[in-house]
Amino acid sequence: MTASDWAGFFADEASLDREAYLFLDYYLECSGDPELAAAHFCSEQSTAQWRRVGSDEDLRPRFGARVVDLQILDGARPEFSYGVGSGSDAPVTACRLRIAHPHGNFGPRLPNLLSAICGEGTFFSPGAPIVKLLDIEFPESYLACFQGPQFGVAGLRERLQVHDRPIFFGVIKPNIGLPPEAFSELGHESWLGGLDIAKDDEMLADTDWCPLDRRAELLGEARRRAEAATGVPKIYLANITDEVDRLVELHDRAVERGANALLINAMPTGLSAVRMLRKHAQVPLMAHFPFIAPFARLERFGVHTRVFTKLQRLAGYDVIIMPGFGPRMHMTDDEVRACATACLEPMGPIKPSLPVPGGSDWAGTLRPLYEKLGTVDFGFVPGRGVFGHPMGPRAGAASIRQAWEAIVAGETLEERAKRHPELSAAIAAFGKPAHGQAASPQPSEQASEPDAAGGDS
Amino acid sequence: MTASDWAGFFADEASLDREAYLFLDYYLECSGDPELAAAHFCSEQSTAQWRRVGSDEDLRPRFGARVVDLQILDGARPEFSYGVGSGSDAPVTACRLRIAHPHGNFGPRLPNLLSAICGEGTFFSPGAPIVKLLDIEFPESYLACFQGPQFGVAGLRERLQVHDRPIFFGVIKPNIGLPPEAFSELGHESWLGGLDIAKDDEMLADTDWCPLDRRAELLGEARRRAEAATGVPKIYLANITDEVDRLVELHDRAVERGANALLINAMPTGLSAVRMLRKHAQVPLMAHFPFIAPFARLERFGVHTRVFTKLQRLAGYDVIIMPGFGPRMHMTDDEVRACATACLEPMGPIKPSLPVPGGSDWAGTLRPLYEKLGTVDFGFVPGRGVFGHPMGPRAGAASIRQAWEAIVAGETLEERAKRHPELSAAIAAFGKPAHGQAASPQPSEQASEPDAAGGDS
């Protein structure tokens, strides 16, 4: 590429038709001239060869991605991050790159979008082996091609008749191995104790030892009994993660039998499959986060979780379960907040999704989570914090509600616990919260004494 | 977890029913006792809470993943790799872990398999933030639930009537921006020059400026003309990467009009969607590799490309295009060979897939690729090396065939080039191969002089 060729991959953002472009922010480490690297990066993402041999055509004006901003963060790094080499001795520059990518190159299709923004062009651009896609902005015209969440936060609150507090989820545990009968009894207990939503673990599938049909039937019955007993709506969130060509059928079978929300693991199943299911869905769709950390955990390589949160919302998830706060989940506080914001912020015609930051939660982690998010628009999703509670899941669920009541009443957890044995037992089993610093059902000898149920999280 | 609890997550491999387990090799960095970390790792992957409160049941014997080997690679690392912290000051141990995972926990379903082997349990196991899934082995009974490739290497060779050499692919370029008429003319020229398979770029979708219907129609016609002119079968590989619920329809439309192989980007579309399409497919299915590097490039974090190669084969791809040799693609030679082996090695009833290691190829990279792989069972996939050739794509394709003839004849590229202007022009345009060290159409001022067509790769 000659110097005059580069110019075709740069543009003034103000001069562009904003509706025609996606705007992408990348972190990039490159060797050699960063402007050349940025031009290559755009070329590789879009029209890698922009004219035929012997022709003077130029496909760049319409089809070329463009650098609209290039900031040098560090102009003289000794080497690339993470032990990655370039085969060159040129000095390494770390930069932040903002790109306008013409979405007409591929259209409003999730697999093609992913291929464009985190595909070969992005991760094999010459001289730039270290890349992280940090953020994506969509124009209204692109968003308008997607349905997004069917119910959204408001629709979910309406279904549950819960308007002024977080939504209380619980992952039924033991997560793997119980037959439907025992499993449904645990769900029933947790609803009676105060959970809004009892959910299958993201690992629980339609297996011979716990068939989805029977599970949905029994949990559906248990849910209706719990609704009758408590006088409030409840949700059984059935995991229908399975091969793509079974999703619609499993949706129908689960919903017909009594599941009233469905979990589909986003990345393992594929966002496009979720978008397909969304067209058919009669109940809220909820995402779990397997297989995102492998490309999102490191600070300077891969794809930021915020991008995937936006894409999950676009695909039509009403609820997005995500790694939450605390050292266990290896997310910075800012990253968790960025994902929660990506769920809730305005996004053209796309409804908000409910963010559910999770990981080793129990009654004592509710206040710090609430304070860090600064809103009641979130879900709280303990597993062992409810189902490993020494007094059982009904008490475990009650301890969560008591923790919320303490927040509303302006009391400490300990003050509240004096009047509530469930909360007191949770504190004894799971930690000693103090000064807003939450302990959690983490693996340590202290935390698992007394070990009421096998397991740690 | 108490010390006596750990034991439930360890087993002697010889004592296990091999047909009941997947065997998984992981690299792991953990803080604290590595045996405890390994036990947690298995627990998190399987039955994270293995009994109900108040019960003495134990779900581990049937449902627990088991450590069958634990090797300490480095017992006293000062910190975790890649700047990841644990929130603890305990010393860090690097280990290699082999796990037997009971596949009955979820069954022969790709989304559930992915959730189990690289999901939350794997990447959020306590005290072990640095993980790489290195390899996976399937028992015959599990493999028998999958169709795998319909044609495989032998079937593809049969279709092309090519039995004793690599298969010659070419990515039609300009990849993005040409209308179907101009695009098909380039494909036609490349077939006449000697390509077996002319392919759409992985970024080319069903767009208004190049609709798949019209593209398949014109390329189908061009293919039949080229077959008539050359007397040998040719393949037009149409990219139908699109939303999952369009795949079957696009398959039918493309094949009906003249495409006789189909490209589906594996990760962006989802392996399960490919498995679905495989049930319906009448032509070979071919994979491209966008979105694998973000979780596979780093040595000690993520998922090894070999694992994804195996999963693509299992999903039913007849051909797997993968990052190839050379610094541009950031793969070690061993890693490329491991992926090629994963395509070709015995895999129970699953046919082999053709490996196509690619990246900046031209006539001069054919010999080193062949020598490094040590077999003719591979595909060779230049882009600009054919379509950016200064004499045009017919000459570009001819230069590839001439490079192969040089290998067969035991000549150097330069010797052969004396009698073949196409090869000579390729050498002048793309590099100066010498001593088996290939140059390539890389971005550098030398390599792009003379720059016959805009672009670099």
Side-chain angles (χ1 to χ4, degrees):
Chain A
M1 208 188 273
T2 64
S4 66
D5 284 338
W6 308 4
F9 292 108
F10 283 79
D12 175 1
E13 185 167 339
S15 74
L16 298 174
D17 172 9
R18 297 192 68 80
E19 285 299 317
Y21 291 89
L22 305 171
F23 288 90
L24 304 164
D25 290 315
Y26 289 96
Y27 172 85
L28 199 72
E29 293 179 15
C30 58
S31 60
D33 186 322
E35 291 204 10
L36 174 59
H40 272 303
F41 194 78
C42 284
S43 168
E44 294 291 328
Q45 270 204 7
S46 56
T47 184
Q49 179 180 317
W50 59 86
R51 63 173 176 264
R52 280 167 286 176
V53 172
S55 158
D56 61 358
E57 70 196 340
D58 186 349
L59 299 169
R60 288 172 294 179
R62 175 169 171 188
F63 298 98
R66 315 291 193 88
V67 183
V68 295
D69 192 34
L70 173 62
Q71 292 177 31
I72 307 300
L73 304 175
D74 182 350
R77 291 180 59 91
E79 54 189 9
F80 288 107
S81 293
Y82 308 135
V84 170
S86 70
S88 145
D89 290 334
V92 171
T93 301
C95 32
R96 181 140 176 167
L97 194 60
R98 183 170 168 84
I99 284 179
H101 191 118
H103 56 73
N105 284 10
F106 50 86
R109 301 168 164 90
L110 291 169
N112 308 276
L113 172 66
L114 289 172
S115 301
I117 67 176
C118 39
E120 181 182 358
T122 299
F123 283 93
F124 295 89
S125 187
I130 294 295
V131 183
K132 187 162 187 175
L133 173 56
L134 298 174
D135 205 354
I136 184 169
E137 289 168 36
F138 306 94
E140 289 263 346
S141 55
Y142 196 78
L143 293 173
C145 302
F146 292 83
Q147 292 182 298
Q150 183 174 7
F151 302 93
V153 175
L156 185 67
R157 288 194 174 286
E158 190 62 33
R159 293 207 141 200
L160 285 167
Q161 290 297 308
V162 170
H163 295 285
D164 51 359
R165 61 161 172 82
I167 308 294
F168 295 119
F169 293 66
V171 192
I172 302 176
K173 300 212 172 191
N175 55 329
I176 293 284
L178 285 185
E181 293 71 18
F183 195 76
S184 68
E185 189 45 40
L186 294 173
H188 185 243
E189 286 289 307
S190 73
W191 283 313
L192 293 181
L195 286 196
D196 300 306
I197 301 180
K199 74 178 276 294
D200 289 351
D201 190 79
E202 88 281 0
M203 288 282 300
L204 187 58
D206 179 25
T207 61
D208 54 2
W209 48 267
C210 194
L212 179 67
D213 281 358
R214 182 71 178 148
R215 202 161 80 229
E217 186 184 320
L218 291 181
L219 267 298
E221 276 174 23
R223 173 177 64 80
R224 285 182 287 265
R225 278 188 285 130
E227 288 172 333
T230 61
V232 292
K234 302 288 184 183
I235 285 180
Y236 166 52
L237 172 54
N239 182 7
I240 63 163
T241 299
D242 207 301
E243 298 293 0
V244 161
D245 55 1
R246 296 193 75 211
L247 290 180
V248 166
E249 178 197 340
L250 291 184
H251 166 284
D252 291 351
R253 282 162 46 185
V255 170
E256 187 178 292
R257 283 165 179 76
N260 48 350
L262 297 173
L263 185 81
I264 308 100
N265 296 342
M267 272 301 296
T269 315
L271 292 175
S272 178
V274 174
R275 189 182 185 192
M276 170 189 76
L277 185 63
R278 161 68 178 88
K279 295 178 186 168
H280 177 81
Q282 296 162 28
V283 298
L285 301 181
M286 311 204 180
H288 201 279
F289 58 82
F291 205 178
I292 292 180
F295 59 79
R297 175 163 300 161
L298 303 187
E299 187 188 354
R300 296 186 295 277
F301 187 71
V303 183
H304 196 284
T305 48
R306 165 178 44 218
V307 175
F308 258 79
T309 303
K310 289 185 178 181
L311 293 175
Q312 289 173 80
R313 184 174 166 191
L314 202 57
Y317 278 119
D318 299 284
V319 170
I320 300 174
I321 302 176
M322 56 182 66
F325 298 101
R328 167 76 183 272
M329 304 314 278
H330 309 294
M331 301 268 287
T332 65
D333 285 6
D334 282 348
E335 186 171 2
V336 180
R337 273 190 287 255
C339 290
T341 300
C343 286
L344 298 172
E345 70 189 353
M347 195 182 191
I350 307 295
K351 288 179 187 165
S353 309
L354 185 78
V356 185
S360 301
D361 284 298
W362 67 286
T365 62
L366 179 57
R367 186 193 301 262
L369 178 55
Y370 171 55
E371 288 175 351
K372 285 182 177 187
L373 291 175
T375 170
V376 296
D377 278 338
F378 69 94
F380 185 66
V381 62
R384 190 171 173 247
V386 167
F387 294 91
H389 188 285
M391 296 162 67
R394 190 191 301 208
S399 73
I400 306 301
R401 297 298 291 263
Q402 291 155 8
W404 182 251
E405 289 158 10
I407 292 168
V408 172
E411 284 180 311
T412 66
L413 211 59
E414 289 75 6
E415 283 169 347
R416 196 84 187 171
K418 287 175 192 161
R419 302 192 301 282
H420 294 287
E422 299 91 346
L423 187 53
S424 178
I427 294 171
F430 302 128
K432 294 185 178 65
H435 313 296
Q437 183 68 35
S440 62
Q442 287 274 16
S444 78
E445 295 312 304
Q446 292 111 295
S448 55
E449 296 290 348
D451 194 11
D456 294 306
S457 61
Chain B
M1 209 188 274
T2 64
S4 66
D5 285 337
W6 309 4
F9 292 107
F10 283 79
D12 176 3
E13 184 167 338
S15 74
L16 297 174
D17 171 9
R18 297 192 68 82
E19 287 298 318
Y21 291 89
L22 306 171
F23 289 89
L24 304 163
D25 289 315
Y26 289 96
Y27 172 84
L28 199 71
E29 293 178 14
C30 59
S31 59
D33 186 322
E35 292 205 8
L36 174 59
H40 273 302
F41 194 78
C42 285
S43 169
E44 294 290 330
Q45 270 205 7
S46 56
T47 184
Q49 179 179 318
W50 59 86
R51 62 174 177 264
R52 282 167 285 178
V53 172
S55 159
D56 61 359
E57 69 196 341
D58 187 349
L59 298 169
R60 287 171 296 179
R62 175 170 171 188
F63 297 99
R66 314 292 192 89
V67 183
V68 295
D69 193 32
L70 173 63
Q71 292 177 33
I72 307 300
L73 303 175
D74 182 350
R77 292 180 59 91
E79 54 188 9
F80 288 108
S81 293
Y82 306 135
V84 170
S86 71
S88 145
D89 291 334
V92 171
T93 301
C95 33
R96 180 138 175 168
L97 194 60
R98 183 171 168 82
I99 284 179
H101 191 119
H103 56 73
N105 284 10
F106 49 86
R109 302 168 163 91
L110 291 168
N112 308 275
L113 172 65
L114 290 172
S115 302
I117 68 177
C118 39
E120 180 181 359
T122 298
F123 283 92
F124 295 90
S125 187
I130 295 295
V131 184
K132 187 162 186 174
L133 173 57
L134 298 173
D135 206 354
I136 183 168
E137 289 168 37
F138 306 94
E140 290 263 345
S141 56
Y142 196 79
L143 292 173
C145 302
F146 292 82
Q147 291 182 298
Q150 182 173 7
F151 302 93
V153 176
L156 185 67
R157 288 194 174 286
E158 191 61 34
R159 294 208 140 200
L160 286 167
Q161 290 298 306
V162 170
H163 295 285
D164 51 359
R165 61 163 172 81
I167 308 294
F168 296 119
F169 293 65
V171 192
I172 303 176
K173 300 211 172 191
N175 55 330
I176 292 285
L178 285 185
E181 292 72 18
F183 196 76
S184 67
E185 190 45 41
L186 294 172
H188 185 243
E189 287 289 307
S190 73
W191 283 314
L192 293 182
L195 285 197
D196 300 307
I197 301 180
K199 73 178 278 293
D200 290 351
D201 190 79
E202 89 280 359
M203 287 283 299
L204 187 58
D206 179 25
T207 60
D208 53 3
W209 48 268
C210 194
L212 178 67
D213 281 356
R214 181 72 178 147
R215 203 161 79 229
E217 186 183 320
L218 291 180
L219 267 297
E221 276 173 23
R223 173 176 64 80
R224 283 183 288 265
R225 279 188 285 132
E227 288 172 335
T230 61
V232 292
K234 302 289 184 183
I235 285 179
Y236 166 51
L237 173 53
N239 182 7
I240 63 163
T241 299
D242 206 302
E243 298 293 0
V244 162
D245 55 2
R246 297 193 75 209
L247 291 180
V248 166
E249 178 197 341
L250 292 183
H251 167 285
D252 291 351
R253 282 163 44 186
V255 170
E256 186 178 292
R257 284 164 179 76
N260 49 349
L262 297 173
L263 185 80
I264 308 100
N265 296 342
M267 271 302 295
T269 316
L271 292 174
S272 178
V274 175
R275 188 182 186 192
M276 171 189 76
L277 184 63
R278 161 67 178 89
K279 294 178 187 168
H280 177 81
Q282 297 163 29
V283 298
L285 302 181
M286 311 204 181
H288 201 279
F289 57 83
F291 205 177
I292 291 181
F295 58 81
R297 175 162 299 160
L298 303 188
E299 187 189 354
R300 298 187 293 277
F301 187 71
V303 184
H304 196 283
T305 49
R306 166 177 45 219
V307 174
F308 257 80
T309 304
K310 290 185 177 181
L311 293 175
Q312 288 173 78
R313 184 174 167 191
L314 201 58
Y317 278 118
D318 299 283
V319 169
I320 300 174
I321 303 176
M322 56 182 67
F325 298 101
R328 167 77 183 274
M329 305 313 279
H330 309 294
M331 301 269 286
T332 65
D333 286 6
D334 282 349
E335 185 170 3
V336 179
R337 273 190 287 257
C339 290
T341 300
C343 285
L344 297 171
E345 71 189 352
M347 195 182 191
I350 306 294
K351 289 180 186 163
S353 310
L354 185 78
V356 186
S360 300
D361 284 298
W362 67 285
T365 62
L366 179 57
R367 186 192 300 265
L369 178 55
Y370 171 55
E371 289 176 349
K372 285 183 178 186
L373 290 174
T375 171
V376 296
D377 278 338
F378 69 94
F380 185 65
V381 61
R384 190 171 172 245
V386 168
F387 294 91
H389 188 285
M391 296 164 67
R394 190 190 303 209
S399 74
I400 306 299
R401 297 297 291 263
Q402 291 155 7
W404 181 251
E405 288 159 11
I407 292 168
V408 172
E411 286 179 310
T412 67
L413 212 59
E414 288 76 6
E415 283 168 347
R416 196 85 188 171
K418 287 174 191 163
R419 304 192 300 282
H420 294 287
E422 298 90 346
L423 186 54
S424 177
I427 294 172
F430 302 128
K432 294 184 179 65
H435 313 295
Q437 183 67 36
S440 61
Q442 287 275 14
S444 77
E445 293 312 306
Q446 291 110 296
S448 55
E449 294 292 348
D451 193 11
D456 296 306
S457 62

mmCIF file of all heavy atoms in Angstrom, chain B residues 373-395:
data_model
loop_
_atom_site.group_PDB
_atom_site.id
_atom_site.type_symbol
_atom_site.label_atom_id
_atom_site.label_comp_id
_atom_site.label_asym_id
_atom_site.label_seq_id
_atom_site.Cartn_x
_atom_site.Cartn_y
_atom_site.Cartn_z
ATOM 1 N N LEU B 373 3.635 -29.544 5.737
ATOM 2 C CA LEU B 373 2.529 -30.464 6.021
ATOM 3 C C LEU B 373 2.902 -31.910 5.724
ATOM 4 O O LEU B 373 2.393 -32.822 6.368
ATOM 5 C CB LEU B 373 1.286 -30.064 5.212
ATOM 6 C CG LEU B 373 0.607 -28.762 5.636
ATOM 7 C CD1 LEU B 373 -0.512 -28.406 4.671
ATOM 8 C CD2 LEU B 373 0.073 -28.848 7.064
ATOM 9 N N GLY B 374 3.755 -32.110 4.727
ATOM 10 C CA GLY B 374 4.198 -33.469 4.423
ATOM 11 C C GLY B 374 3.129 -34.358 3.827
ATOM 12 O O GLY B 374 3.179 -35.589 3.969
ATOM 13 N N THR B 375 2.153 -33.788 3.158
ATOM 14 C CA THR B 375 1.084 -34.554 2.524
ATOM 15 C C THR B 375 0.496 -33.708 1.411
ATOM 16 O O THR B 375 0.623 -32.478 1.431
ATOM 17 C CB THR B 375 -0.036 -34.907 3.532
ATOM 18 O OG1 THR B 375 -1.149 -35.476 2.825
ATOM 19 C CG2 THR B 375 -0.536 -33.669 4.267
ATOM 20 N N VAL B 376 -0.153 -34.363 0.431
ATOM 21 C CA VAL B 376 -0.882 -33.584 -0.578
ATOM 22 C C VAL B 376 -2.329 -33.332 -0.157
ATOM 23 O O VAL B 376 -3.085 -32.683 -0.886
ATOM 24 C CB VAL B 376 -0.866 -34.283 -1.964
ATOM 25 C CG1 VAL B 376 0.552 -34.371 -2.505
ATOM 26 C CG2 VAL B 376 -1.518 -35.669 -1.899
ATOM 27 N N ASP B 377 -2.698 -33.859 0.984
ATOM 28 C CA ASP B 377 -4.084 -33.677 1.438
ATOM 29 C C ASP B 377 -4.267 -32.328 2.121
ATOM 30 O O ASP B 377 -4.434 -32.237 3.351
ATOM 31 C CB ASP B 377 -4.500 -34.830 2.348
ATOM 32 C CG ASP B 377 -4.924 -36.058 1.557
ATOM 33 O OD1 ASP B 377 -5.298 -35.890 0.370
ATOM 34 O OD2 ASP B 377 -4.882 -37.166 2.106
ATOM 35 N N PHE B 378 -4.217 -31.316 1.310
ATOM 36 C CA PHE B 378 -4.496 -29.978 1.832
ATOM 37 C C PHE B 378 -5.018 -29.105 0.697
ATOM 38 O O PHE B 378 -4.903 -29.461 -0.482
ATOM 39 C CB PHE B 378 -3.251 -29.358 2.481
ATOM 40 C CG PHE B 378 -2.138 -28.992 1.535
ATOM 41 C CD1 PHE B 378 -2.035 -27.703 1.007
ATOM 42 C CD2 PHE B 378 -1.177 -29.937 1.163
ATOM 43 C CE1 PHE B 378 -0.992 -27.373 0.139
ATOM 44 C CE2 PHE B 378 -0.136 -29.601 0.295
ATOM 45 C CZ PHE B 378 -0.044 -28.315 -0.224
ATOM 46 N N GLY B 379 -5.591 -28.000 1.057
ATOM 47 C CA GLY B 379 -6.000 -27.004 0.071
ATOM 48 C C GLY B 379 -5.102 -25.796 0.185
ATOM 49 O O GLY B 379 -4.551 -25.507 1.251
ATOM 50 N N PHE B 380 -4.948 -25.103 -0.929
ATOM 51 C CA PHE B 380 -4.071 -23.934 -0.999
ATOM 52 C C PHE B 380 -4.958 -22.777 -1.434
ATOM 53 O O PHE B 380 -5.682 -22.896 -2.444
ATOM 54 C CB PHE B 380 -2.966 -24.228 -2.027
ATOM 55 C CG PHE B 380 -1.920 -23.172 -2.142
ATOM 56 C CD1 PHE B 380 -1.068 -22.895 -1.066
ATOM 57 C CD2 PHE B 380 -1.756 -22.450 -3.325
ATOM 58 C CE1 PHE B 380 -0.074 -21.932 -1.179
ATOM 59 C CE2 PHE B 380 -0.768 -21.481 -3.442
ATOM 60 C CZ PHE B 380 0.079 -21.218 -2.364
ATOM 61 N N VAL B 381 -4.938 -21.661 -0.699
ATOM 62 C CA VAL B 381 -5.978 -20.648 -0.945
ATOM 63 C C VAL B 381 -5.431 -19.222 -1.052
ATOM 64 O O VAL B 381 -5.591 -18.420 -0.136
ATOM 65 C CB VAL B 381 -7.118 -20.762 0.103
ATOM 66 C CG1 VAL B 381 -6.629 -20.527 1.532
ATOM 67 C CG2 VAL B 381 -8.299 -19.857 -0.239
ATOM 68 N N PRO B 382 -4.776 -18.897 -2.161
ATOM 69 C CA PRO B 382 -4.346 -17.506 -2.351
ATOM 70 C C PRO B 382 -5.550 -16.591 -2.582
ATOM 71 O O PRO B 382 -6.622 -17.054 -2.989
ATOM 72 C CB PRO B 382 -3.497 -17.560 -3.638
ATOM 73 C CG PRO B 382 -3.321 -19.005 -3.962
ATOM 74 C CD PRO B 382 -4.445 -19.734 -3.321
ATOM 75 N N GLY B 383 -5.330 -15.321 -2.335
ATOM 76 C CA GLY B 383 -6.331 -14.321 -2.715
ATOM 77 C C GLY B 383 -5.689 -13.446 -3.772
ATOM 78 O O GLY B 383 -5.785 -13.715 -4.969
ATOM 79 N N ARG B 384 -4.968 -12.455 -3.274
ATOM 80 C CA ARG B 384 -4.276 -11.554 -4.192
ATOM 81 C C ARG B 384 -3.206 -12.286 -5.004
ATOM 82 O O ARG B 384 -2.883 -11.874 -6.121
ATOM 83 C CB ARG B 384 -3.647 -10.422 -3.384
ATOM 84 C CG ARG B 384 -3.103 -9.302 -4.242
ATOM 85 C CD ARG B 384 -2.684 -8.111 -3.382
ATOM 86 N NE ARG B 384 -1.996 -7.122 -4.195
ATOM 87 C CZ ARG B 384 -0.722 -6.787 -4.054
ATOM 88 N NH1 ARG B 384 0.035 -7.364 -3.127
ATOM 89 N NH2 ARG B 384 -0.186 -5.890 -4.845
ATOM 90 N N GLY B 385 -2.675 -13.391 -4.463
ATOM 91 C CA GLY B 385 -1.679 -14.170 -5.200
ATOM 92 C C GLY B 385 -2.204 -14.694 -6.527
ATOM 93 O O GLY B 385 -1.433 -15.026 -7.426
ATOM 94 N N VAL B 386 -3.538 -14.769 -6.655
ATOM 95 C CA VAL B 386 -4.164 -15.094 -7.943
ATOM 96 C C VAL B 386 -4.810 -13.842 -8.555
ATOM 97 O O VAL B 386 -4.539 -13.469 -9.686
ATOM 98 C CB VAL B 386 -5.223 -16.205 -7.780
ATOM 99 C CG1 VAL B 386 -6.069 -16.335 -9.051
ATOM 100 C CG2 VAL B 386 -4.550 -17.539 -7.453
ATOM 101 N N PHE B 387 -5.642 -13.177 -7.731
ATOM 102 C CA PHE B 387 -6.491 -12.110 -8.300
ATOM 103 C C PHE B 387 -5.806 -10.742 -8.326
ATOM 104 O O PHE B 387 -6.327 -9.802 -8.916
ATOM 105 C CB PHE B 387 -7.832 -12.071 -7.563
ATOM 106 C CG PHE B 387 -8.628 -13.317 -7.805
ATOM 107 C CD1 PHE B 387 -8.510 -14.418 -6.953
ATOM 108 C CD2 PHE B 387 -9.433 -13.428 -8.915
ATOM 109 C CE1 PHE B 387 -9.215 -15.582 -7.204
ATOM 110 C CE2 PHE B 387 -10.141 -14.593 -9.176
ATOM 111 C CZ PHE B 387 -10.028 -15.684 -8.321
ATOM 112 N N GLY B 388 -4.651 -10.651 -7.681
ATOM 113 C CA GLY B 388 -3.857 -9.429 -7.767
ATOM 114 C C GLY B 388 -2.631 -9.632 -8.651
ATOM 115 O O GLY B 388 -1.749 -8.772 -8.705
ATOM 116 N N HIS B 389 -2.571 -10.774 -9.295
ATOM 117 C CA HIS B 389 -1.429 -11.056 -10.185
ATOM 118 C C HIS B 389 -1.401 -10.006 -11.304
ATOM 119 O O HIS B 389 -2.445 -9.708 -11.899
ATOM 120 C CB HIS B 389 -1.592 -12.464 -10.776
ATOM 121 C CG HIS B 389 -0.408 -12.952 -11.542
ATOM 122 N ND1 HIS B 389 -0.102 -12.497 -12.799
ATOM 123 C CD2 HIS B 389 0.563 -13.853 -11.232
ATOM 124 C CE1 HIS B 389 1.005 -13.099 -13.231
ATOM 125 N NE2 HIS B 389 1.426 -13.935 -12.285
ATOM 126 N N PRO B 390 -0.218 -9.465 -11.599
ATOM 127 C CA PRO B 390 -0.160 -8.352 -12.556
ATOM 128 C C PRO B 390 -0.692 -8.691 -13.942
ATOM 129 O O PRO B 390 -1.075 -7.793 -14.689
ATOM 130 C CB PRO B 390 1.338 -7.997 -12.604
ATOM 131 C CG PRO B 390 2.055 -8.983 -11.774
ATOM 132 C CD PRO B 390 1.068 -9.756 -10.973
ATOM 133 N N MET B 391 -0.723 -9.983 -14.295
ATOM 134 C CA MET B 391 -1.254 -10.357 -15.614
ATOM 135 C C MET B 391 -2.717 -10.809 -15.522
ATOM 136 O O MET B 391 -3.282 -11.302 -16.512
ATOM 137 C CB MET B 391 -0.399 -11.479 -16.219
ATOM 138 C CG MET B 391 1.049 -11.056 -16.503
ATOM 139 S SD MET B 391 2.153 -12.486 -16.756
ATOM 140 C CE MET B 391 1.518 -13.150 -18.285
ATOM 141 N N GLY B 392 -3.315 -10.664 -14.355
ATOM 142 C CA GLY B 392 -4.725 -11.023 -14.207
ATOM 143 C C GLY B 392 -4.897 -12.400 -13.579
ATOM 144 O O GLY B 392 -3.940 -13.169 -13.419
ATOM 145 N N PRO B 393 -6.140 -12.740 -13.227
ATOM 146 C CA PRO B 393 -6.393 -13.968 -12.455
ATOM 147 C C PRO B 393 -6.115 -15.264 -13.219
ATOM 148 O O PRO B 393 -5.753 -16.264 -12.602
ATOM 149 C CB PRO B 393 -7.866 -13.865 -12.067
ATOM 150 C CG PRO B 393 -8.438 -12.741 -12.841
ATOM 151 C CD PRO B 393 -7.325 -11.865 -13.295
ATOM 152 N N ARG B 394 -6.271 -15.248 -14.540
ATOM 153 C CA ARG B 394 -5.981 -16.482 -15.258
ATOM 154 C C ARG B 394 -4.487 -16.794 -15.126
ATOM 155 O O ARG B 394 -4.102 -17.932 -14.827
ATOM 156 C CB ARG B 394 -6.371 -16.377 -16.737
ATOM 157 C CG ARG B 394 -6.307 -17.729 -17.429
ATOM 158 C CD ARG B 394 -6.440 -17.677 -18.946
ATOM 159 N NE ARG B 394 -7.671 -17.036 -19.398
ATOM 160 C CZ ARG B 394 -8.280 -17.337 -20.557
ATOM 161 N NH1 ARG B 394 -7.787 -18.273 -21.357
ATOM 162 N NH2 ARG B 394 -9.364 -16.698 -20.927
ATOM 163 N N ALA B 395 -3.693 -15.780 -15.301
ATOM 164 C CA ALA B 395 -2.250 -15.956 -15.133
ATOM 165 C C ALA B 395 -1.903 -16.248 -13.676
ATOM 166 O O ALA B 395 -1.004 -17.054 -13.378
ATOM 167 C CB ALA B 395 -1.512 -14.708 -15.613
#
